[in-house]
Amino acid sequence: YATCVMDLETGDILWVGKGRATEDFRKFFLEYDMDYLSNVKAFAMDMNASYNKLVEEYMPEVDIVYDRYHMQAQFGKEVLGVVRLNEARKHQELAKDIKEIRDGEADPDIRRKLKAEYNEEQKAYSTLKNSRWSILTNSKNLSDSRKSALNTILEEHNDLAVCYAMKEEMCRLFELSDPKEARDRWTSWFEAAKESGIDALVHFAELKQKRLEGLISHATHPISTGKLEGLNNKIKVAKRVGYGYRNDDYFFILVRYISMPHNFMLIP
């Protein structure tokens, strides 16, 4: 792994270093000319590491902004994904129980009824298993047919409906531009999540509420790590094209080169 620091305005890579641990990232602050960063107002990052502690230590006047897309992706995986699969397993387990009862039943009428119930549970299981993208996609971007199918799922699964509603509200929170309103609504969102009684949602809220200030900062500085994520994809392609690189220094130079605008002419 390597850690990159990008200037979001220019797209230039300011620093790249080996590793992704907190102490690996500390080298950026020790090696880089901090005078160059004196006008920085905000620092966008994800929540996967304790990078925020180093920014607070070396750049205490800078606002930390947590990337909305990482937050939404984690909610989709750790909350919606977990709850959806739990609901699907309930249908699967119920279908197995019905099958066992049906196999031991001699009355043909009862067997036909149990078979119909078994098929319904299996259908519900398959529907939930295949609903991942509909649940994760912004409701505005769903077709009428997908939206109707999703509404049916949510009407039949209360916990999933609650988590879906929380996801939609969370997306709206990232559109706020008033810090005071953002603080009030983020606080209310976390309180509602913890009071839901849904284990995955409660656990997520307890972890992320510790990063409240960085979420509120998005209202003041609506920035993200999107441009850097795009560069990461280019870096991965370059690595595959080169079948990997044994020399870290050479590879990091290549990373810097990839980040440069290529609409210039090299004069020998």
Side-chain angles (χ1 to χ4, degrees):
Y1 289 94
T3 299
C4 295
V5 180
M6 171 185 279
D7 182 326
L8 281 180
E9 290 185 350
T10 64
D12 294 338
I13 290 297
L14 303 180
W15 179 85
V16 57
K18 188 174 182 179
R20 60 174 181 175
T22 303
E23 289 307 308
D24 295 322
F25 183 44
R26 185 184 296 276
K27 295 176 184 176
F28 164 67
F29 298 99
L30 299 177
E31 298 173 0
Y32 199 77
D33 182 0
M34 297 302 292
D35 290 337
Y36 180 82
L37 303 176
S38 60
N39 293 325
V40 172
K41 302 298 182 184
F43 207 124
M45 65 181 70
D46 60 41
M47 302 182 189
N48 293 337
S50 299
Y51 294 165
N52 60 306
K53 295 181 180 178
L54 291 180
V55 175
E56 291 167 355
E57 178 181 346
Y58 289 97
M59 304 172 70
E61 302 302 319
V62 171
D63 290 335
I64 293 171
V65 181
Y66 290 119
D67 180 67
R68 66 174 295 177
Y69 301 106
H70 279 86
M71 178 79 167
Q72 291 170 190
Q74 288 177 345
F75 188 89
K77 179 181 179 180
E78 299 172 14
V79 180
L80 285 172
V82 170
V83 174
R84 178 178 61 86
L85 292 179
N86 285 344
E87 294 293 322
R89 291 190 192 97
K90 291 179 183 178
H91 288 292
Q92 187 180 44
E93 292 170 0
L94 184 55
K96 290 180 180 179
D97 293 340
I98 292 173
K99 186 177 184 299
E100 290 180 3
I101 297 173
R102 185 195 66 184
D103 292 343
E105 180 59 54
D107 189 311
D109 292 334
I110 296 178
R111 284 178 61 86
R112 279 193 293 272
K113 181 180 178 181
L114 290 172
K115 182 179 179 180
E117 292 178 2
Y118 170 81
N119 289 337
E120 284 296 316
E121 294 300 327
Q122 282 290 92
K123 181 181 178 181
Y125 168 74
S126 297
T127 299
L128 275 171
K129 286 283 288 184
N130 297 325
S131 65
R132 178 171 180 263
W133 290 113
S134 294
I135 291 173
L136 293 179
T137 301
N138 190 310
S139 59
K140 298 178 182 178
N141 299 326
L142 291 176
S143 63
D144 290 340
S145 59
R146 282 185 174 271
K147 190 175 295 185
S148 177
L150 177 60
N151 287 337
T152 300
I153 292 174
L154 298 179
E155 288 172 1
E156 296 174 353
H157 303 87
N158 182 70
D159 284 1
L160 190 57
V162 171
C163 294
Y164 182 82
M166 295 295 288
K167 183 264 292 188
E168 292 286 285
E169 174 63 11
M170 180 177 65
C171 293
R172 287 189 286 269
L173 295 181
F174 281 110
E175 302 299 328
L176 299 175
S177 57
D178 180 0
K180 184 179 184 303
E181 182 184 4
R183 179 178 298 280
D184 293 340
R185 289 181 59 179
W186 269 113
T187 300
S188 297
W189 189 90
F190 281 117
E191 291 305 316
K194 290 188 291 184
E195 292 173 3
S196 68
I198 302 171
D199 290 344
L201 181 55
V202 172
H203 180 66
F204 183 87
E206 290 175 343
L207 288 178
K208 302 306 181 185
Q209 191 169 20
K210 300 174 184 177
R211 310 291 185 113
L212 179 62
E213 296 303 321
L215 295 170
I216 295 170
S217 293
H218 190 275
T220 305
H221 311 284
I223 59 176
S224 74
T225 62
K227 186 180 290 188
L228 182 57
E229 292 298 331
L231 179 66
N232 284 342
N233 289 330
K234 291 184 179 181
I235 295 172
K236 292 174 184 177
V237 171
K239 187 174 67 173
R240 287 198 299 270
V241 170
Y243 294 93
Y245 294 90
R246 295 187 179 185
N247 187 302
D248 289 339
D249 291 336
Y250 177 83
F251 182 57
F252 292 164
I253 291 173
L254 177 63
V255 170
R256 290 176 180 274
Y257 173 75
I258 293 172
S259 75
M260 294 170 60
H262 290 172
N263 58 343
F264 58 85
M265 181 181 296
L266 292 177
I267 301 176

